[in-house]
Amino acid sequence: MTVNRRRLLLGGAALLAGTSATAGAAGTATAAPAGFPDYRYTRLALVKSKLRYNPTGELIFPTIRGTRDRIAGARAAYYLYYAPHDAPGGICLAYANSLDEEFTEYPGNPIISRSWPGEYSVSHVSSPHAMWNDDVKRMYLYFHGENTVTRLASSANGIDFTYEKEVLSTRLQPAGTTETSYARVFRHDLTSRGARYVMVFMLNNQSNRRDIGWGWSANARDWTFSQTPLIRHQDVGAVNVGGPHLLFRNDSVYVVYNTDIGSGGNILVTEVGRDFSLRRHLGVFHDSLSGSPDNGRSAAPSFGTYQGREYMIYEAGDRLAGNIAIARAV
């Protein structure tokens, strides 16, 4: 990412703070929220040629989670969950003691496979999102398989998981919905809805144009879902949007999400506010590198902190050839 270019793109934020600005198809931003850093690519988190489990040669949808004061006897300070997408998929784990080093693959990958006896048997499982649930002192892991269903498993140690239930499916969305997947869940109070957790996810319908959906829950297990998208692809000048993640800053809530490569391949940001009533489309959050490893596409970001510095771990490159990259705030 060219830092000076992004600062130029975001330079109108102060003047346009009271207006809604929309990113164009090429990812040009006219406004952005204050307080977010620039992220610069530093290294790949994983070297695919070293992996024991790498059935399709493509890795997607990272989630980074710290283990300190959560998992006794953890293998390292950070757990990284990721997956291939194409069949057979499989939820995988790697670990490291910093966010500046190559991660070590867990030797027992995949930790969740496409078949769970007595629960499901599908073509693939993918898009792992891990959330430490302080209410129950367990790692909650959300994943899809098939693309019509999002599932939940939980674990005390972040490795050995117990299947919990289906939490989202196309039948819980309007007729004609074809995909409900790539979900992430965050602790956030929505008092008016009696909720303590929020889910954001990708949805698709028969138009084959992907939007961002959302839902809310009191316990991160049982969910109510909006019947209208949180972010519509056409509102940000894209053919498809996906890979959503919530960020909390300025006493507000923001959604960062990626566009398809034909619509710029960048990560955009929309402010939704603490009660999710705003729709302030603020443009480019992260400008993808034209060269390696992004090759014009950054997607599905996850965020962590190491030694007081902010990091973004993201999916870099074409979906069918991608890898997991690390970028550091500058």
Side-chain angles (χ1 to χ4, degrees):
M1 179 180 73
T2 303
V3 174
N4 289 340
R5 179 187 172 200
R6 183 175 184 272
R7 286 176 179 160
L8 177 64
L9 292 173
L10 305 188
L15 294 176
L16 297 176
T19 66
S20 175
T22 302
T28 301
T30 56
F36 289 109
D38 295 303
Y39 290 96
R40 179 176 294 165
Y41 167 72
T42 60
R43 64 169 303 134
L44 293 175
L46 298 163
V47 178
K48 287 191 282 188
S49 62
K50 296 181 180 180
L51 298 179
R52 184 196 63 82
Y53 185 78
N54 182 22
T56 62
E58 41 92 24
L59 307 175
I60 71 166
F61 215 80
T63 299
I64 191 73
R65 288 291 173 260
T67 63
R68 183 179 177 182
D69 298 327
R70 294 172 172 173
I71 297 174
R75 288 178 172 245
Y78 295 92
Y79 279 6
L80 172 65
Y81 299 89
Y82 65 96
H85 179 270
D86 281 0
I91 309 305
C92 297
L93 172 68
Y95 41 86
N97 281 316
S98 84
L99 297 182
D100 285 319
E101 63 185 82
E102 180 183 336
F103 279 67
T104 298
E105 180 188 18
Y106 176 64
N109 282 336
I111 57 174
I112 296 176
S113 74
R114 64 178 174 175
S115 178
W116 201 314
E119 303 296 350
Y120 63 77
S121 180
V122 293
S123 69
H124 75 289
V125 291
S126 192
S127 71
H129 174 76
M131 179 197 72
W132 181 257
N133 188 332
D134 262 326
D135 293 339
V136 295
K137 306 302 180 187
R138 293 179 70 83
M139 191 75 82
Y140 271 25
L141 196 146
Y142 302 84
F143 60 100
H144 81 249
E146 308 290 351
N147 288 68
T148 57
V149 177
T150 293
R151 306 173 186 276
L152 170 64
S154 73
S155 170
N157 65 7
I159 297 175
D160 303 303
F161 282 85
T162 299
Y163 186 76
E164 298 286 347
K165 61 186 295 187
E166 293 182 12
V167 293
L168 170 62
S169 72
T170 52
R171 63 183 173 79
L172 299 177
Q173 289 290 295
T177 300
T178 58
E179 294 179 62
T180 47
S181 52
Y182 299 94
R184 294 194 189 273
V185 173
F186 303 88
R187 176 73 178 86
H188 178 64
D189 289 328
L190 288 173
T191 306
S192 64
R193 300 180 187 269
R196 303 179 71 242
Y197 298 90
V198 173
M199 177 190 292
V200 286
F201 59 94
M202 187 195 77
L203 34 88
N204 195 8
N205 58 37
Q206 292 169 337
S207 72
N208 204 31
R209 297 291 184 266
R210 291 165 178 83
D211 298 320
I212 304 300
W214 75 294
W216 52 92
S217 171
N219 59 12
R221 290 174 50 88
D222 305 299
W223 293 86
T224 301
F225 296 101
S226 172
Q227 298 301 290
T228 57
L230 180 66
I231 298 169
R232 302 184 304 171
H233 66 279
Q234 63 266 36
D235 291 342
V236 295
V239 174
N240 294 293
V241 292
H245 192 293
L246 294 188
L247 290 177
F248 305 88
R249 244 179 177 90
N250 311 320
D251 196 33
S252 192
V253 180
Y254 301 81
V255 188
V256 292
Y257 51 94
N258 59 270
T259 69
D260 60 285
I261 196 166
S263 301
N266 295 319
I267 298 173
L268 306 186
V269 58
T270 293
E271 184 180 7
V272 296
R274 294 190 62 82
D275 63 356
F276 282 63
S277 64
L278 295 179
R279 299 295 183 271
R280 296 183 63 233
H281 305 302
L282 300 170
V284 174
F285 177 86
H286 181 75
D287 190 3
S288 61
L289 294 166
S290 58
S292 180
D294 298 4
N295 297 315
R297 179 179 179 270
S298 301
S302 182
F303 298 85
T305 302
Y306 172 62
Q307 293 185 340
R309 199 167 189 179
E310 295 180 69
Y311 288 74
M312 181 175 74
I313 291 81
Y314 67 99
E315 180 184 327
D318 183 80
R319 187 183 68 81
L320 298 181
N323 205 339
I324 307 304
I326 301 173
R328 185 171 58 213
V330 295

